[in-house]
Amino acid sequence: PEIRKLTFNLDGVSMNGVAPAYDGVDAEFTPRRSYLDKILVDAAIEAGAEAREKFHVNTLIFDDNRVVGIVGKDKNGRTVSERARIVVGADGINSFVAKEVKAEFFIDAGTYNSGFYAYYSGMPGRRDAVTLYVRSQQRLAYITFPTNDALDVVFLFWPSAEADIVRADLEKAFGNSLRAVPELETRVSAANRESPFAGTHRLANFFRFAHGPGWALVGDAALHRDPITAEGISNAFCHAEILADELIRAFNEHSSTLDEATASYDRRQFKRLKPMFDYTVHQAMIRPSTPQSLTRFSQAAADPDLSNRFLGAFIGSVPLNVAFKNEVLQGFTARVQQANDERQDRKLKTP
């Protein structure tokens, strides 16, 4: 479904709006990965790529300190080796490539939430809207959005300290937490759950060094942040676009070497995505609202232009500096730096 309406409900105060268009696109889309991944693989094959499914990479091939290929097993169990001028690790938060090349975190802002979701059919309410509820005193967050096959996703976030309790009985955790948002509880109660609960307690917030001799990292392998702002797939597309742009120059225009290209990619992706990373970490912390902050939020919610800009910033269609004053953005960055410094201090003190 095309999504145009957005609601951010903070402790009972609702901000409603329509996110401004981005590059001529005036709708948001939340496709299921089973559809999106096939679209991308089919497009890659049509463009000339060779896709090998059910292929397991066992190791990287190094020439001195340079990655020059991979060794793995195909779907029939045969060992296969391939060499390449560059190996790209697009293999997720627990990236095998990152481990093999020892790509370290250079920003590690910690983990604040665990998140679990399920798909529902027959859920009453709009099919063109995304809703985020935050109950700051309980440190709970909820996101609902429509997706393919007439299904809606209900995604709940709990403090990471409660992860074990939540995972022990997800159905009970969902039921208890939904009571804090009666409107959503009514909608979910009227729907049918069509999937098991899925999710993770490892919603880390980090940047890894994303390049080195003969290799690069993209997507969650390079940058992972809490899904509370739902930016993961957008990050991956951004990475792919920038890395492709740099590699095209190195391969075809010879205006740079491969190592210069991957280094430039890493600098560009960090510069472009770091502000939203800082904002996401700020949101993931879910600090209790004060009367003053709720008053400011209510005032912004009463202004349609401010509401649209804020919601556009939240989903990424509006630059953050359009929605927030510079000192506010600096506050997000300082908070991330403090979290990173505290984690580094704990590591140094651990024997």
Side-chain angles (χ1 to χ4, degrees):
E2 296 183 355
I3 297 169
R4 290 187 169 82
K5 295 180 175 61
L6 300 146
T7 296
F8 191 129
N9 184 293
L10 175 62
D11 294 330
V13 179
S14 283
M15 175 183 287
N16 302 288
V18 179
Y22 176 81
D23 200 19
V25 179
D26 66 347
E28 183 181 13
F29 297 89
T30 53
R32 296 191 68 175
R33 289 293 300 273
S34 54
Y35 288 93
L36 178 61
D37 291 359
K38 178 169 172 48
I39 290 169
L40 297 175
V41 170
D42 288 349
I45 293 171
E46 185 177 349
E50 178 185 349
R52 302 183 196 176
E53 298 186 4
K54 300 180 180 179
F55 189 101
H56 182 77
V57 177
N58 294 322
T59 188
L60 301 182
I61 303 171
F62 288 85
D63 183 353
D64 289 331
N65 191 41
R66 188 173 199 83
V67 176
V68 295
I70 59 100
V71 177
K73 290 187 180 296
D74 66 15
K75 62 182 178 182
N76 298 313
R78 292 177 299 209
T79 298
V80 178
S81 63
E82 295 288 355
R83 289 181 172 255
R85 295 171 66 186
I86 184 167
V87 172
V88 179
D91 50 342
I93 186 172
N94 296 313
S95 170
F96 170 79
V97 175
K99 291 175 184 175
E100 287 285 288
V101 300
K102 297 180 173 58
E104 297 180 353
F105 299 142
F106 67 92
I107 290 182
D108 183 357
T111 299
Y112 302 95
N113 298 316
S114 58
F116 294 87
Y117 62 92
Y119 293 88
Y120 290 82
S121 65
M123 192 164 157
R126 305 193 67 102
R127 292 287 297 160
D128 63 348
V130 168
T131 304
L132 170 68
Y133 300 90
V134 173
R135 295 297 177 261
S136 69
Q137 303 304 319
Q138 300 97 319
R139 285 210 63 238
L140 295 172
Y142 316 69
I143 299 177
T144 68
F145 55 86
T147 187
N148 301 85
D149 305 319
L151 296 174
D152 284 86
V153 177
V154 179
F155 202 142
L156 270 62
F157 299 82
W158 292 267
S160 55
E162 299 177 14
D164 289 342
I165 297 173
V166 170
R167 293 162 67 199
D169 192 337
L170 281 166
E171 190 150 7
K172 181 179 178 181
F174 260 69
N176 289 343
S177 298
L178 285 170
R179 294 193 189 106
V181 186
E183 170 194 340
L184 181 57
E185 181 185 31
T186 299
R187 292 179 66 205
V188 173
S189 298
N192 298 308
R193 182 158 62 87
E194 302 291 349
S195 74
F197 294 108
T200 181
H201 63 290
R202 296 178 298 177
L203 300 179
N205 296 278
F206 64 73
F207 275 93
R208 280 191 180 107
F209 288 102
H211 82 284
W215 61 270
L217 302 175
V218 299
D220 286 351
L223 155 64
H224 188 275
R225 58 190 179 194
D226 196 292
I228 197 166
T229 50
E231 293 276 338
I233 296 296
S234 296
N235 287 348
F237 280 132
C238 179
H239 281 161
E241 179 183 29
I242 296 173
L243 181 58
D245 178 52
E246 293 291 347
L247 293 180
I248 285 170
R249 292 187 208 176
F251 285 148
N252 299 334
E253 300 174 14
H254 306 293
S255 58
S256 62
T257 66
L258 272 178
D259 289 350
E260 290 171 340
T262 55
S264 178
Y265 150 72
D266 207 352
R267 289 192 298 270
R268 288 175 60 190
Q269 67 88 18
F270 178 75
K271 182 179 179 180
R272 181 164 165 183
L273 297 175
K274 178 61 162 51
M276 193 64 188
F277 175 87
D278 295 344
Y279 176 57
T280 299
V281 173
H282 162 76
Q283 290 289 351
M285 289 177 174
I286 314 182
R287 299 188 171 194
S289 299
T290 63
Q292 294 83 0
S293 64
L294 269 181
T295 297
R296 289 194 299 269
F297 186 81
S298 298
Q299 291 170 344
D303 184 323
D305 183 56
L306 279 178
S307 295
N308 290 347
R309 277 188 281 150
F310 176 85
L311 294 168
F314 190 86
I315 68 165
S317 71
V318 170
L320 289 173
N321 60 9
V322 173
F324 297 102
K325 295 179 179 178
N326 190 49
E327 56 264 32
V328 175
L329 296 178
Q330 289 174 349
F332 299 155
T333 300
R335 202 160 292 147
V336 167
Q337 187 61 50
Q338 180 182 2
N340 181 68
D341 291 345
E342 289 173 353
R343 289 183 65 79
Q344 294 304 320
D345 287 344
R346 284 197 294 272
K347 288 179 183 178
L348 290 173
K349 292 175 182 176
T350 301

